[in-house]
Amino acid sequence: MAAVEGWEDVPAAARRRHAELAAELTEHRVRYYEQDAPTVSDAEFDTLMRELEALETAHPALVTPDSPTQQVGGGVAEGFAKVEHRERLLSLDNAMDDEELTAWADRVARELDGLQYHYLCELKVDGLAVNLTYRHGELVLAATRGTGRIGEDITANVRTIKEIPHRLRGDHPPALVEIRGEVYLPTEAFAELNASLAAENDRRRAENEQRAAEGRRPHALVKLFANPRNAAAGSLRQKDPLVTGSRPLHMVVHGIGAREGFEIDCQSHAYQLLHDWGLPTARHNRVVATLDEVRAFIKQYGEQRHSVEHEIDGVVVKVDEIALQGRLGATSKSPRWAIAWKYPPEEVTAKLASIKVGIGRTGRATPYAVLAEPVKVAGSMVQYATLHNQQVVKAKGVLLGDTVVLRKAGDVIPEILGPVEDLRDGTEQEFVMPAECHECGTALRPMSEGDIDLRCPNAQFCPAQVRERIAYLGGRASLDVEGLGYVAATALTQPLEPAEPPVRDEGDVFGLTVEQLLPIRVLVRDQKTGMPKLDDATGEEKEVSFFANLSGEPKKTATLLLENLAAAKQKELWRYLNGLSIRHVGPVAAQALAREFRDLDAIFAADEERLAATEGVGPKIARSIQEWYQEEWHREILRKWREAGVRFTEEATAEQGERPLEGLTVVVTGTLAGHTRDGAKEALVSRGAKVTGSVSKKTDFVVVGDNPGSKYDKAVQLGLPVLDDAGFAVLLTDGAEAARAHLGLPAAGTESAGVTPEGADQD
């Protein structure tokens, strides 16, 4: 190393850091590519690699052939024969933001000055890179990417993947062709696989208790997979092909390497050729002419990434014309004619500081993870993540003190996927579910036979449950009262020593007065730690008035809350029913019951059979409603509401009386121009339609806005009538037959096929 020209001029600190990064990245590559046991997320690996690249850019003497920046993939795992690829497999450079994407496009434009070219956009599948070799149409070799030149022979295992043909279709197969692609495990299949492995661990634990009593050696537990890519790689590297064949692996092909006997002019045309040969090609590719169209593709799938059947971590952008790819060339590790746009990470690793238990509005005790430091995932800072229940904690094998894999998919609540077991040092401890509610001291227990969840049965007086119920009552799913959010619910339900809190349950909400609000004071908390701040002068916990200003007059928050509560007395009937937090009764069931009975007292007066007969309700919900009403303090809530002037009945309008969409099943997906998602559903429900969350053959219409996702794809697949904004307006105004006519379809009951909105993207 010292012989490299300019080495002496590199600062010692830079040399040390370069050596540290190179060693760390090499170790991570071995774990990722060879052992299928990564200990850092892709995003963390990319960050380290970026730091190494920056050092080498600043000090070119640090660049050596064995630097991780100059290498492709990893090595070859032990136990597999080494095979040489006919044509080298490269890795892709990454673009982390629009500036880097634009810089790549500008370089391409300069190199191809005056020449016409197109961009091919395709999804970057998060799987294991595999190279298939066919001779005269016969599959003769399948290998991992390995180092780019040398891979692992996994032919026997790849032959078990059903959609990979052992022989290419067609009468004139090429003499030789290398086909590149990614083997992946669909996200749903990954969840099912890990669930089956967790169930096997439960079985082994139970058997181990008996074996221990008999003095016999216990069974080893099965290691769960960290993510779908890890599961796909582990499945392909099984010593027994029968194990690989039992896993629902899939492949998508995206390139051609060495070839004899044919030529291709464009990458996109090659995909059609691969499809004709019977190989699995991607459905989401798109050829575009401008960088703005590339950005639109990236934006579209950034919003829809969870509607795709497999994990994606970005978009690959390529120059489509093969001749121009050759003109642009490649570096030692990456093609200059392609780049990978990387989406913000949805999985990161983080240190687990503790596991706490929260009590929800129905008393459910939910463990949640507290991270040692907030981490950025999917574009937002996260310090807490759900663990669902005590059995999930056990099934995932999470211990206190673990480094864990954290995921936040879209707007889903962050959750822990599992531990990084290779980073354990022996100090980790098992989590023990508390026996009592931490807020009221009541013993936690299942509320019914076979119930997995533990709950606090002290529904009337548990501070946590009261606080959560009041916040839910004021939320969008119930009364949608501005000013009655979680912070206000916390303030209203806390004791005012020596007096009781102004809100002891839902019954007190509509009777609130300004006099009750003014004395409420709350602790000032540090935004980072959540701990109460101390008064500089007294050293005591600092408090401020919540609803009163310094002169003791009501703040705007107080008057606004009271005004909005007064207006909320005339809300739709279903909102009150849903806001009572009756177990199993959500917005859909509440709307169905409100449509059927149109009177809150009538709902609670109905017997179980009558309630269960309501479409979308059933015996379980009916029984829960009756059990709720049997509690005296619940009936007291309704009495207080009635005295406060809450409207318990809902008269049917002429339109509602006719219920023109009665009997229709409709699915709403995407963002509509004229309605919010909830507003669109309410408009349908008020006209008698049943709104569901899944598309099936029984669906009558699928209403599609912008960025619709997989529901739209399934509607097209099933040939269902698909309505855009204009078609939806026709459905609401003129009914189902007019909507079908708007699509050019015959009347219902005659043979027809679904029609997609004009201009809609078939991908």
Side-chain angles (χ1 to χ4, degrees), residues 138-267:
E138 296 288 342
L139 177 63
V140 296
L141 179 65
T144 61
R145 179 171 62 180
T147 66
R149 293 194 180 277
I150 305 294
E152 302 150 330
D153 185 345
I154 53 170
T155 309
N157 289 346
V158 165
R159 286 183 183 276
T160 67
I161 301 176
K162 295 178 181 178
E163 61 192 356
I164 298 178
H166 294 188
R167 179 172 179 80
L168 299 179
R169 283 200 306 240
D171 297 330
H172 304 288
L176 171 76
V177 61
E178 282 186 321
I179 297 167
R180 278 77 189 270
E182 296 281 330
V183 171
Y184 67 89
L185 197 68
T187 48
E188 290 185 8
F190 165 70
E192 292 170 0
L193 174 60
N194 259 0
S196 68
L197 295 177
E200 172 63 16
N201 280 342
D202 287 341
R203 187 192 68 77
R204 293 188 182 191
R205 287 189 187 97
E207 191 173 323
N208 283 345
E209 292 180 7
Q210 179 64 30
R211 294 174 74 91
E214 296 171 357
R216 291 193 293 158
R217 193 170 163 185
H219 291 304
L221 297 182
V222 183
K223 187 175 180 180
L224 273 62
F225 291 111
N227 51 52
R229 191 266 174 203
N230 179 238
S235 299
L236 266 184
R237 287 193 170 107
Q238 293 291 322
K239 304 299 183 186
D240 184 355
L242 292 177
V243 177
T244 303
S246 70
R247 306 273 172 84
L249 294 171
H250 293 260
M251 184 177 187
V252 58
V253 298
H254 54 59
I256 294 177
R259 57 187 181 273
E260 295 176 7
F262 70 100
E263 292 297 328
I264 48 177
D265 58 348
C266 293
Q267 188 96 15

Side-chain angles (χ1 to χ4, degrees), residues 54-71:
L55 273 174
E56 293 183 352
T57 300
H59 308 289
L62 294 175
V63 181
T64 60
D66 61 350
S67 170
T69 64
Q70 306 303 304
Q71 295 174 350

Side-chain angles (χ1 to χ4, degrees), residues 297-317:
F297 184 92
I298 289 170
K299 181 176 184 294
Q300 175 186 344
Y301 282 100
E303 295 167 347
Q304 297 180 17
R305 60 193 292 189
H306 302 294
S307 67
V308 183
E309 63 274 15
H310 49 67
E311 291 283 314
I312 64 173
D313 59 358
V315 167
V316 178
V317 186

Side-chain angles (χ1 to χ4, degrees), residues 2 187 228 257 285 370 389 415 433-434 449 489 512 657 720 731 761:
T187 48
N285 301 338
V370 181
N389 59 52
E415 67 169 330
M433 189 73 174
E449 186 176 350
L512 282 170
L720 300 174
L731 177 67
D761 181 1

Side-chain angles (χ1 to χ4, degrees), residues 6-22:
W7 172 257
E8 296 84 355
D9 298 328
V10 178
R15 293 200 299 266
R16 283 195 301 271
R17 183 56 181 159
H18 183 272
E20 292 169 358
L21 287 169

Side-chain angles (χ1 to χ4, degrees), residues 589-700:
Q591 289 169 7
L593 289 163
R595 287 197 307 272
E596 183 71 21
F597 290 91
R598 300 195 179 281
D599 185 286
L600 202 58
D601 288 327
I603 292 171
F604 289 113
D607 61 26
E608 187 174 319
E609 184 178 359
R610 175 75 176 88
L611 292 169
T614 303
E615 185 177 0
V617 177
K620 187 176 184 179
I621 294 175
R623 192 175 308 113
S624 188
I625 291 171
Q626 291 223 312
E627 290 173 354
W628 185 91
Y629 191 68
Q630 288 170 7
E631 293 283 347
E632 172 61 33
W633 69 277
H634 287 159
R635 297 196 295 273
E636 181 68 10
I637 290 172
L638 298 177
R639 185 191 66 77
K640 289 180 180 179
W641 281 8
R642 188 183 293 106
E643 288 184 355
V646 173
R647 185 180 65 178
F648 274 36
T649 59
E650 189 172 77
E651 297 298 328
T653 63
E655 182 183 59
Q656 289 171 328
E658 295 172 3
R659 296 168 67 80
L661 304 184
E662 184 79 51
L664 291 182
T665 299
V666 183
V667 173
V668 180
T669 180
T671 304
L672 296 166
H675 298 79
T676 64
R677 183 82 63 88
D678 290 339
K681 291 179 180 178
E682 286 185 30
L684 289 163
V685 168
S686 68
R687 290 164 173 79
K690 178 182 179 181
V691 181
T692 64
S694 58
V695 177
S696 71
K697 292 180 180 179
K698 296 181 179 179
T699 304
D700 294 290

